[in-house]
Amino acid sequence: VVAERNGVDVAAEYDVVVVQFVGGSDTDRTSVVDSDTVAAVDSDTVAGAEAALTARNSGRAPLVALTRHGGTILIPCGATTSVDDVVGDLGTHIGVSVVAATASAVPGGMGDVVTHCRELVDLARSLGREPKLYRTGDLALEFQLSRPGPGRSRLRSVIAPLENFPELLHTLRTFIANEANRRVSAKSLYVHPNTVD
């Protein structure tokens, strides 16, 4: 009803994007902070970014709700603007790094998807991941391990035999931290890739 009153066509499905601003702002050099800290962007910069994002695609423009620390963007599925482009443009307009997560939702299921995307952003930040756009598949293992349930119990039972072998646990942690890349893991461990295998 609110959308109709304001002349907004409600799409059948949206890409929900939750964003959080991290690091120092180019617009406020007095409050430069490290990338682990949530950035506070001035209100004028946020308003300018919102205007730029909504003006770029007049027919199926993203719905943008930002605060000084981040916010939510709804991009109609099928819009000519991709989620990756919107997040990239936002980072450029805001002048700080952006950690974002996205998933698709129908209008009636937005609340659960927004919550899920917020959890992905929090997880990426708690793991010290680089500021970028994340999808559920990018953090599936980490997400599952951070939640109770049968999946976590099963994974715990698979890893349990390693408890008595600290060097194997260290190798596994290194392998996971390097996004399952055996060559990078081998370099970090100072061993041959076959040794990682």
Side-chain angles (χ1 to χ4, degrees), residues 15-18 75 81-87 99-104 116-117 119-121 123-124 129-130 132-143:
D15 288 317
V16 176
V17 184
V18 172
I75 304 168
T81 304
S82 75
V83 174
D84 297 278
D85 290 342
V86 169
V87 172
V99 177
T102 186
S104 297
H116 174 69
C117 289
E119 290 172 346
L120 289 176
V121 167
L123 180 61
R129 295 292 178 92
E130 66 179 296
K132 69 175 196 173
L133 176 65
Y134 291 93
R135 290 173 171 81
T136 302
D138 299 329
L139 298 168
L141 175 63
E142 296 87 344
F143 186 80

Side-chain angles (χ1 to χ4, degrees), residues 64-182:
V64 183
L66 299 176
T67 68
R68 297 182 63 216
H69 305 287
T72 305
I73 304 169
L74 304 178
I75 304 168
C77 289
T80 57
T81 304
S82 75
V83 174
D84 297 278
D85 290 342
V86 169
V87 172
D89 289 349
L90 177 62
T92 300
H93 287 293
I94 295 293
V96 296
S97 297
V98 176
V99 177
T102 186
S104 297
V106 297
M110 292 284 180
D112 291 339
V113 174
V114 168
T115 299
H116 174 69
C117 289
R118 282 187 183 135
E119 290 172 346
L120 289 176
V121 167
D122 291 343
L123 180 61
R125 294 197 60 239
S126 70
L127 293 171
R129 295 292 178 92
E130 66 179 296
K132 69 175 196 173
L133 176 65
Y134 291 93
R135 290 173 171 81
T136 302
D138 299 329
L139 298 168
L141 175 63
E142 296 87 344
F143 186 80
Q144 182 60 48
L145 289 173
S146 67
R147 303 293 182 277
R152 185 165 113 176
S153 298
R154 173 69 179 124
L155 288 170
R156 183 176 286 143
S157 71
V158 170
I159 296 171
L162 300 179
E163 288 180 2
N164 296 325
F165 301 95
E167 68 281 354
L168 294 179
L169 276 174
H170 177 66
T171 301
L172 179 61
R173 285 187 182 107
T174 303
F175 185 69
I176 291 170
N178 287 307
E179 299 179 7
N181 185 319
R182 66 190 273 275

Side-chain angles (χ1 to χ4, degrees), residues 6-88:
N6 292 298
V8 176
D9 291 328
V10 176
E13 187 175 14
Y14 288 90
D15 288 317
V16 176
V17 184
V18 172
V19 298
Q20 194 170 86
F21 308 138
V22 295
S25 170
D26 290 340
T27 59
D28 183 7
R29 294 285 182 193
T30 62
S31 64
V32 174
V33 291
D34 63 48
S35 62
D36 292 335
T37 305
V38 175
V41 178
D42 72 69
S43 300
D44 291 337
T45 302
V46 171
E50 282 184 334
L53 292 176
T54 55
R56 71 181 313 202
N57 193 353
S58 59
R60 306 216 2 122
L63 303 173
V64 183
L66 299 176
T67 68
R68 297 182 63 216
H69 305 287
T72 305
I73 304 169
L74 304 178
I75 304 168
C77 289
T80 57
T81 304
S82 75
V83 174
D84 297 278
D85 290 342
V86 169
V87 172

